[in-house]
Amino acid sequence: MKKKEITLFLAAVVSHVFWGFSFLGTRSALDVADMYLLLSHRFLIAFAIMNLLLLFRVVKIDFRGKWKRIWLPLLMGFMEPVVYFIGEELGVIHSTTIFSGVMIAVIPIVSIFAAIPILHETPTLGQVLFSFLSVGGVIGIGLLTKSDGALDWIGVVGLIVAVLSAAAYGILDRGLSAEFTAFERTYLMIGMGAVCFTPIALVRTGFRMGAFFAPLKEPKFLLPVLFLSVCCSVVSYFLLSYMATYMTVTRSTVYANLTTAVSVIAGALILKEPFSWLGALFCAVILVGIYGVQRFARKGEPDTVPTIRSTGGEQP
């Protein structure tokens, strides 16, 4: 296996393992504050960390000659995390756990087919089949969980919005990789999260600074939000953008299903949640699907970087 392929594989595993454990931190933090307060602190801290990296010259950004196109990575950041998290929250609240799990599971499939006309990335038949296999494993795990909640139209719309926004994020992240570095794309999207979620959190706290900062005094909130900020935002989103630079949408998005497998295993090991042989089988199906998508990729795909054309049709 080539060195770059190993690096991409490690980037995928690390990022999605972090996201697989993110539900533990989120669950703990939500016992102290609501979702928007959590998201505000998460992305404010993450954005502060990225600016510290710039201040100490650990990394650098250079937007010279890119200002006319900077609205595209900003749009990417608006799609995810902003629109995605809002849609997902509405979906989870206003639908059953099974329906929401199935809808989120189809994001890789939607992304794959969206990449065909937009990025002109055509997956092989083997990749399509193994993508469906991996998604099937996620759906299978979803069917094993206890179905809570009730389904209504708000939940359906919210989840459709979440799926489409996540697919749009993946397409933009890949399509802009020739113009903006992985750090630049991550910097703008995390900044967008901080800018959008903080006003919502302030409104929900009545613009009382004491109430806004109060959760940070609680270790049950502070420790999880630091994990979500550093590992699940700065590190994971950067690694995702790094992967998008060298991998097709088909190859990169299928790794998202690894998050589900990690979540199930983490829940069983840490929270002592039930874990049956059928759950283990579905986790294995997910891994086989991910392997198959990588195995049946066309040769030379990691070196292919598409570009999203400007609205006028000319190359940037």
Side-chain angles (χ1 to χ4, degrees):
M1 186 181 291
K2 295 180 180 180
K3 183 178 180 180
K4 182 180 287 185
E5 287 288 349
I6 295 174
T7 303
L8 290 169
F9 172 75
L10 292 175
V13 171
V14 171
S15 60
H16 291 290
V17 166
F18 279 151
W19 278 330
F21 280 92
S22 67
F23 82 98
L24 295 172
T26 300
R27 184 180 298 184
S28 174
L30 289 178
D31 288 338
V32 179
D34 72 11
M35 175 64 74
Y36 292 103
L37 198 54
L38 168 61
L39 289 171
S40 173
H41 286 297
R42 169 179 173 173
F43 286 101
L44 280 173
I45 293 172
F47 195 52
I49 291 170
M50 300 197 82
N51 279 288
L52 286 174
L53 292 175
L54 291 174
L55 180 65
F56 289 102
R57 300 183 183 277
V58 177
V59 291
K60 63 179 181 179
I61 57 177
D62 185 3
F63 292 127
R64 288 176 297 180
K66 304 176 183 179
W67 292 109
K68 290 183 178 180
R69 300 264 293 174
I70 204 168
W71 67 273
L72 284 168
L74 289 175
L75 175 64
M76 182 188 80
F78 185 67
M79 289 294 102
E80 186 172 338
V82 181
V83 176
Y84 174 78
F85 276 116
I86 293 174
E88 184 186 50
E89 186 196 32
L90 289 174
V92 170
I93 293 174
H94 296 278
S95 72
T96 63
T97 53
I98 291 178
F99 182 79
S100 60
V102 169
M103 286 294 291
I104 297 301
V106 303
I107 290 175
I109 299 299
V110 174
S111 300
I112 289 171
F113 287 105
I116 296 174
I118 298 174
L119 300 178
H120 305 291
E121 291 184 348
T122 304
T124 64
L125 178 60
Q127 286 183 308
V128 173
L129 293 177
F130 276 97
S131 291
F132 275 101
L133 178 66
S134 185
V135 169
V138 176
I139 293 174
I141 289 175
L143 294 175
L144 292 178
T145 61
K146 181 181 178 181
S147 184
D148 298 320
L151 181 63
D152 61 38
W153 69 270
I154 297 177
V156 173
V157 172
L159 288 168
I160 291 175
V161 168
V163 170
L164 295 178
S165 63
Y169 163 78
I171 297 295
L172 286 166
D173 199 17
R174 171 69 171 158
L176 295 172
S177 59
E179 300 174 72
F180 299 87
T181 67
F183 186 86
E184 288 171 349
R185 301 192 313 270
T186 308
Y187 179 84
L188 291 171
M189 67 161 292
I190 287 180
M192 182 63 76
V195 167
C196 292
F197 287 126
T198 299
I200 298 175
L202 288 172
V203 169
R204 294 174 74 89
T205 56
F207 292 95
R208 292 176 289 114
M209 291 297 102
F212 180 79
F213 289 107
L216 296 175
K217 300 176 182 178
E218 299 288 339
K220 193 176 182 180
F221 181 90
L222 178 60
L223 296 179
V225 84
L226 288 175
F227 170 74
L228 293 170
S229 299
V230 177
C231 299
C232 300
S233 295
V234 176
V235 175
S236 292
Y237 275 120
F238 170 76
L239 291 177
L240 198 67
S241 288
Y242 171 77
M243 290 164 55
T245 304
Y246 301 104
M247 301 177 79
T248 61
V249 170
T250 300
R251 292 187 62 199
S252 61
T253 56
V254 73
Y255 277 108
N257 297 327
L258 180 61
T259 300
T260 300
V262 173
S263 296
V264 171
I265 296 172
L269 295 177
I270 299 175
L271 301 180
K272 307 303 180 182
E273 294 179 346
F275 185 67
S276 64
W277 66 268
L278 198 54
L281 176 62
F282 284 132
C283 286
V285 168
I286 291 173
L287 297 179
V288 170
I290 292 173
Y291 170 78
V293 171
Q294 313 307 315
R295 173 66 177 80
F296 289 96
R298 291 186 176 87
K299 291 183 178 180
E301 276 188 350
D303 298 320
T304 303
V305 183
T307 301
I308 294 179
R309 293 180 181 271
S310 61
T311 54
E314 69 274 10
Q315 284 294 116

